[in-house]
Amino acid sequence: GTTFGGSIFAASDPFFMLMLIGIFGIRDYIIWDKAATIEYKRPARSTLNFRFLITDEDIAAIEKDLAEHGKSEPVLHVDAVDREGHVCATVSKTLYIRKKDSRPEA
């Protein structure tokens, strides 16, 4: 009667990376998933919705990291919300971004 946790996790997997590829482009940047965690908060007994959001502040922080360090490792979060508005799980994704022609400092 509940949604398998692995299915919740898988449903959230590619979106932040794909969004960042759309924002920064694949031609000039390497953008990879680096790490992920999920915190299950309550059983999911209905359809879940995710709202993936990358803010202007997130983009500015990534651009600052790129300029100062040659790479950025933002941590972005998304909630899995049931039809009653309860958060059933929170997923945190760490991404790795750098320009293709730059190397991060050792």
Side-chain angles (χ1 to χ4, degrees):
T2 61
T3 302
F4 173 63
S7 296
I8 297 170
F9 192 61
S12 69
D13 185 43
F15 296 101
F16 283 127
M17 184 183 70
L18 293 173
M19 291 167 71
L20 287 169
I21 287 170
I23 292 166
F24 288 95
I26 195 75
R27 173 170 280 198
D28 296 324
Y29 289 89
I30 291 172
I31 303 172
W32 292 330
D33 284 326
K34 183 172 181 176
T37 61
I38 187 166
E39 180 183 353
Y40 300 101
K41 299 185 177 206
R42 65 184 301 146
R45 293 189 169 91
S46 70
T47 300
L48 297 174
N49 289 297
F50 298 82
R51 182 170 181 247
F52 296 90
L53 180 65
I54 298 174
T55 66
D56 290 339
E57 292 80 16
D58 294 328
I59 295 168
I62 291 167
E63 289 173 336
K64 182 180 179 197
D65 285 344
L66 290 168
E68 292 178 1
H69 308 290
K71 69 175 183 174
S72 183
E73 295 182 6
V75 179
L76 302 170
H77 310 278
V78 65
D79 292 328
V81 181
D82 69 13
R83 75 171 76 133
E84 295 172 357
H86 300 116
V87 175
C88 296
T90 299
V91 177
S92 299
K93 299 281 290 199
T94 303
L95 294 109
Y96 174 84
I97 306 165
R98 75 167 172 85
K99 279 199 141 192
K100 286 186 176 178
D101 60 345
S102 69
R103 300 280 181 228
E105 296 177 17

